[in-house]
Amino acid sequence: MPTTRDRAGRLTLGGVALADLARDPAIGTPTYVYDLDAIGAEARELRAAFDGAPHVVAYAVKANTAGPIVRALAAEGCGADVVSGAELLVALACGVAPDHIVYSGVAKTDDELTRAIAVGQRGIGAIQIESVEEIARVDARARAAGRTARVSMRINPSVAIDTMDTHAHIATGHDEAKFGVPRADVAAAVALAQRSAHVELVGFGAHVGSQITTTDAYAESARAVFAIARELRASGVSLAFVDAGGGFGIDYGDGCPARPGDFVRVARAEQRAAGIDDLALYVEPGRSLVAAHGVLLASVVQPKIAADRRWLMIDAGMNDLIRPALYQARHRIVPLELDARDADNAEWRVVGPVCESSDDFGVHALSAKPPRDVAILDAGAYGFTMASQYNGRALPVELFLRGGAIASRTERASAEAWARSRSFG
Ligand code: LLP
């Protein structure tokens, strides 16, 4: 359940009044608050869409790497899609089964490949090969470790960018994208993988882009991948899985026709049509598991009214949540308390403290008398993980709720600590 209002008009998440957290001097703002119960329920709902068919929900850890969240998803039986050696270590430390970890990324270093190959008895579930050139590198690292590395081939499905209903920065399955083995190179890549003594090809996958709100491009991409998998099996190669990728959109306020389970259902339909529905189906959702179950709390610092312009300055900025600045993304902003006396609405341009004009969360209707504090909604994915300390600002606090109480939280670094860390030399 995302945020709701209690009878007193206070915004709540996971049964906790958010104003109580924001105004607690030990917590303060800016603070990310997450509902672990709702994140677990989101994973259960998605897994149910597979109807008992063999599958792995490989949570794209990049969306939110916080231990309590990765642990909650691992406890629901999720695997992980990681994109760095460090994310791999987080997934392992949080109890994700190594067999259910896939590792994507176009420029994995030798050290990162070695780490992935060294995990457990057989290495992780699959290193996702993103280019022909990477195959020889994986083979060499596996040979050096005296092992065979399981790999899956991430294919660039060549889905035209203008058919994607998402921002160009996060469309990844078109010809200009650096991701995946181009379809024209798949045959050569498969042949090379088969000649490589320390590489075992176990799957095929694709990831067409992120925040996609209808299933068409996802189905098109899955169809391309599954056709390749079917052909290869027909030639006698045994595979373990196909991976349809992540990218399931959420409703940031403008609607999202497709629910996460719909992407699973269209991928399964394509799998059946290709006659490969005995293979496990992997999906790699990040955002849809966590975004709606996290908010960023901010305090209003002051208004600024000049001529007919009205700005509301808050203490969270683009360093805490960069999505509006980077992708012109809109996140709803709502007051932590509704006060009947403040019934007059006004349009405010909500901005942060960072010295850039792009530090701008857009125009929002809030009370004419500025609220004391606000929540930026749907901030659970690609919020904290993309945060920085730009302008000498401490990273925001992260606070995790379970069963209507605080399960854990991080501490805010002081200005002194930041200044000490930078005044070296
Ligand atoms: N698998 C691969 C290979 C990916 O590259 C990604 C995301 C995912 C899975 C998960 O996609 P999701 O289900 O979360 O959409 N920072 C951007 C999103 C970047 C996504 C990058 N890749 C944003 O804030 O919208």
Side-chain angles (χ1 to χ4, degrees):
M1 179 90 112
T3 52
T4 52
R5 293 257 171 218
D6 68 11
R7 253 179 280 144
R10 297 182 311 166
L11 193 72
T12 67
L13 182 74
V16 174
L18 293 167
D20 290 346
L21 303 177
R23 297 173 191 176
D24 181 336
I27 300 169
T29 53
T31 292
Y32 279 97
V33 182
Y34 308 102
D35 179 355
L36 294 175
D37 297 320
I39 290 169
E42 196 75 63
R44 281 197 295 282
E45 188 182 330
L46 186 64
R47 293 200 62 196
F50 288 86
D51 272 338
H55 71 277
V56 172
V57 171
Y59 166 56
V61 171
K62 65 170 82 67
N64 194 317
T65 51
I69 288 177
V70 182
R71 279 198 181 84
L73 290 169
E76 295 298 339
C78 290
D81 167 46
V82 300
V83 291
S84 66
E87 281 192 2
L88 171 60
L89 291 177
V90 168
L92 292 169
C94 293
V96 179
D99 268 346
H100 292 164
I101 298 178
V102 293
Y103 184 172
S104 314
V106 296
K108 308 173 194 83
T109 65
D110 283 353
D111 178 55
E112 289 176 315
L113 290 173
T114 298
R115 272 183 197 283
I117 291 164
V119 169
Q121 300 297 310
R122 314 173 56 203
I124 61 168
I127 295 171
Q128 309 236 60
I129 294 296
E130 301 238 15
S131 60
V132 180
E133 291 83 347
E134 193 179 356
I135 297 171
R137 293 186 51 232
V138 174
D139 189 52
R141 297 332 314 152
R143 181 193 317 257
R147 290 190 161 199
T148 299
R150 287 178 284 176
V151 305
S152 66
M153 197 170 293
R154 178 171 173 189
I155 292 162
N156 184 320
S158 190
V159 173
I161 193 161
D162 53 9
T163 65
M164 295 281 302
D165 58 331
T166 190
H167 194 280
H169 289 188
I170 53 178
T172 50
H174 56 89
D175 290 341
E176 301 296 320
K178 65 183 175 180
F179 303 99
V181 176
R183 274 157 89 166
D185 295 345
V186 168
V190 167
L192 178 57
Q194 287 173 332
R195 284 200 307 275
S196 304
H198 295 268
V199 161
E200 183 193 357
L201 182 60
V202 294
F204 281 96
H207 172 76
V208 79
S210 194
Q211 183 56 18
I212 48 180
T213 57
T214 60
T215 55
D216 301 353
Y218 196 76
E220 184 185 335
S221 160
R223 202 175 308 135
V225 171
F226 298 172
I228 291 168
R230 185 202 17 215
E231 232 175 86
L232 205 69
R233 283 183 106 188
S235 74
V237 175
S238 74
L239 295 173
F241 69 86
V242 282
D243 183 341
F248 314 162
I250 68 136
D251 181 2
Y252 282 102
D254 300 326
C256 178
R259 288 282 309 147
D262 295 337
F263 293 90
V264 166
R265 282 182 279 273
V266 299
R268 290 199 64 219
E270 294 294 342
Q271 223 188 330
R272 278 192 295 274
I276 55 167
D277 51 330
D278 56 316
L279 289 182
L281 175 62
Y282 282 38
V283 294
E284 303 172 358
R287 183 190 323 263
S288 62
L289 290 170
V290 292
H293 309 299
V295 297
L296 174 59
L297 305 183
S299 300
V300 171
V301 177
Q302 62 160 79
K304 171 174 172 180
I305 300 174
D308 56 351
R309 301 194 195 287
R310 305 164 64 85
W311 290 275
L312 198 61
M313 274 79 176
I314 62 174
D315 67 354
M318 64 188 284
N319 67 296
D320 302 301
L321 178 66
I322 202 173
R323 301 194 67 259
L326 201 53
Y327 319 112
Q328 294 73 52
R330 185 175 171 83
H331 286 253
R332 288 167 288 190
I333 298 185
V334 296
L336 295 192
E337 282 186 322
L338 287 182
D339 186 334
R341 289 165 304 181
D342 304 335
D344 287 353
N345 258 13
E347 303 252 284
W348 293 96
R349 182 167 284 284
V350 180
V351 297
V354 171
C355 293
E356 295 220 13
S357 293
S358 56
D359 186 21
D360 182 336
F361 296 107
V363 175
H364 298 266
L366 293 160
S367 52
K369 175 171 170 265
R372 179 168 160 184
D373 29 36
V374 295
I376 305 180
L377 303 186
D378 305 311
Y382 306 112
F384 186 90
T385 50
M386 297 179 80
S388 76
Q389 300 176 60
Y390 187 37
N391 280 199
R393 296 169 45 75
L395 289 174
V397 165
E398 290 187 288
L399 186 150
F400 305 89
L401 302 171
R402 187 186 288 292
I406 299 174
S408 60
R409 68 176 167 90
T410 61
E411 296 292 334
R412 195 179 310 280
S414 65
E416 286 77 9
W418 187 86
R420 262 197 310 280
S421 75
R422 297 307 297 158
S423 44
F424 55 82

